[in-house]
Structures are given as C-alpha cells and as structure tokens.
Amino acid sequence: GRVEVAVYVQGPAVLALAARPDGLVDEEHFNLYLPLLQQTGRRLYVPANAPELARLGGTPWQFEPLDLAQLAALAAQSNWVCVF
C-alpha cells in the first residue's frame, strides 16, 4: 500500500517555502522534493504562530498552519513520527 506522508516545517525551515529561497543548505533537495510532495497530494504544515510566516512573502506551496494541539493530534494518529 501507499504511505501517507505529512511534512511539518518550523523555525527557519519555514523560509524554505518562499518563492525564491536563497542560501538553503541542500537546496537541491528542496527543489526536488517539495514539488513532488505537492504533486502527489501530500500535506505540508507549518506552525500557526510562526514568526517566519510574516517574512515568507509569496509562496508557490500549499500548506496548512497548525497550532500545537492540532500538531499533537496529527502525531497521535500517525504510525510514525520522524523529527530532524
């Protein structure tokens, strides 16, 4: 079967969702995998109160803001949670 993948980015990683992110470590991975995630309907989440959202400007990516309670609920219903 298929694996359901949800990605949650926080802190400075939120800025990787900018239309033109500059200076990312492993930028080629973001350029490869973010479009793949979106094209396959995978979910992308950010903290609802992330201060980086104000600095994000335009973004080509669809994402959903989550508060801590929503993040906890998402993690609780998941089979695996990986934190990097």
Side-chain angles (χ1 to χ4, degrees):
R2 296 184 73 171
V3 174
E4 183 64 32
V5 174
V7 176
Y8 180 84
V9 295
Q10 63 182 1
V14 171
L15 297 175
L17 304 178
R20 294 180 182 258
D22 293 323
L24 294 175
V25 174
D26 295 327
E27 185 173 344
E28 65 277 2
H29 291 112
F30 282 95
N31 292 335
L32 177 66
Y33 293 113
L34 279 179
L36 183 61
L37 285 170
Q38 296 280 274
Q39 291 167 1
T40 58
R42 301 303 186 237
R43 297 171 295 168
L44 183 60
Y45 299 102
V46 300
N49 61 349
E52 293 84 4
L53 289 173
R55 296 178 25 216
L56 190 58
T59 178
W61 311 112
Q62 295 178 354
F63 61 86
E64 181 179 338
L66 294 182
D67 62 29
L68 287 179
Q70 292 170 310
L71 177 60
L74 176 65
Q77 68 185 10
S78 299
N79 290 325
W80 295 93
V81 175
C82 299
V83 179
F84 302 97

